Amino acid sequence: DRLGLYDGVDLAPVARVSESAVSDAAVIRDGPRMGTALPLGGAALMAGATGWHMGYPAGSPAVIETRLIGEAVARRGLGPAARGEPVLAWAEVQRLGYGNGPLGGISGGPVLDGAGEVVGVVSASTDRRGRILSTAPDAIAALLRQRVQIATRADRRDLSNGTAAQTAFRQWLAGGIIRQVYCD
């Protein structure tokens, strides 16, 4: 059942979402099934590692190159209900295919390392400081193990430079592997 078009985008309702209890990540459970998925990273990341953040800041597709600052704890919520969650902090290096506008809207997009493996999901950004926070890799792996069936084949790519990252992003968009999602 389609919801119609919004700014030229065909909207489809999503009924089942599995949210992580320990990180700012969720899995859309009833979305289209893909035979190919992005591979999950397993190696520990070192400070200074390159990250490629892919998504839709301000509704425009973009790739953001960053360098890993290190592990941190993000505080979610207010008062007694507030909780800390492990995150990775990244420093922005350059934006490819997107100007200097706000990064709001890139949340939920994958963070990939130079080997093309998912090492996080974007959870927050601060334009003023040029920082992007992502979920810790182990939080994503735990959520996926518990909630969904992993695709049969991983689309592994070399993302050692901006041109390769932009090319892969365009192909993943065209193949529906990375999608824009609106939350109400």
Side-chain angles (χ1 to χ4, degrees), residues 57-71:
S60 298
V63 176
I64 314 297
E65 179 183 359
T66 61
R67 295 285 180 269
L68 180 63
I69 298 170
E71 296 177 356

Side-chain angles (χ1 to χ4, degrees), residues 22 31 68 96 119 132 150 160:
V22 296
L68 180 63
L96 306 169
V119 294
I132 301 176
I150 304 298
S160 57

Side-chain angles (χ1 to χ4, degrees), residues 12 21 29 53 57 68 109 118 132 137 145:
R29 295 188 54 159
H53 303 250
L68 180 63
V118 176
I132 301 176
R145 278 193 306 272

Side-chain angles (χ1 to χ4, degrees), residues 43-109:
L45 295 172
M46 302 293 289
T50 299
W52 301 100
H53 303 250
M54 299 180 177
Y56 289 86
S60 298
V63 176
I64 314 297
E65 179 183 359
T66 61
R67 295 285 180 269
L68 180 63
I69 298 170
E71 296 177 356
V73 175
R75 187 174 169 93
R76 303 284 184 199
L78 299 172
R83 63 175 168 55
E85 74 179 52
V87 296
L88 298 179
W90 304 84
E92 182 179 331
V93 173
Q94 69 174 326
R95 299 177 185 195
L96 306 169
Y98 183 69
N100 290 324
L103 292 175
I106 199 168
S107 293

Side-chain angles (χ1 to χ4, degrees), residues 5-164:
L5 292 178
Y6 174 79
D7 281 349
V9 176
D10 191 16
L11 300 178
V14 174
R16 297 181 334 152
V17 176
S18 294
E19 297 180 50
S20 171
V22 296
S23 68
D24 188 17
V27 173
I28 298 171
R29 295 188 54 159
D30 62 351
R33 297 271 181 211
M34 303 298 295
T36 302
L38 300 176
L40 291 177
L45 295 172
M46 302 293 289
T50 299
W52 301 100
H53 303 250
M54 299 180 177
Y56 289 86
S60 298
V63 176
I64 314 297
E65 179 183 359
T66 61
R67 295 285 180 269
L68 180 63
I69 298 170
E71 296 177 356
V73 175
R75 187 174 169 93
R76 303 284 184 199
L78 299 172
R83 63 175 168 55
E85 74 179 52
V87 296
L88 298 179
W90 304 84
E92 182 179 331
V93 173
Q94 69 174 326
R95 299 177 185 195
L96 306 169
Y98 183 69
N100 290 324
L103 292 175
I106 199 168
S107 293
V111 181
L112 297 105
D113 64 11
E117 296 181 336
V118 176
V119 294
V121 173
V122 177
S123 62
S125 65
T126 63
D127 295 321
R128 182 179 60 82
R129 296 190 64 201
R131 303 289 187 261
I132 301 176
L133 300 180
S134 70
T135 57
D138 54 338
I140 297 166
L143 178 63
L144 290 174
R145 278 193 306 272
Q146 294 172 0
R147 305 291 185 190
V148 296
Q149 182 177 8
I150 304 298
T152 57
R153 186 175 70 85
D155 188 357
R156 194 168 308 277
R157 305 284 181 100
D158 171 29
L159 302 182
S160 57
N161 61 63
T163 302

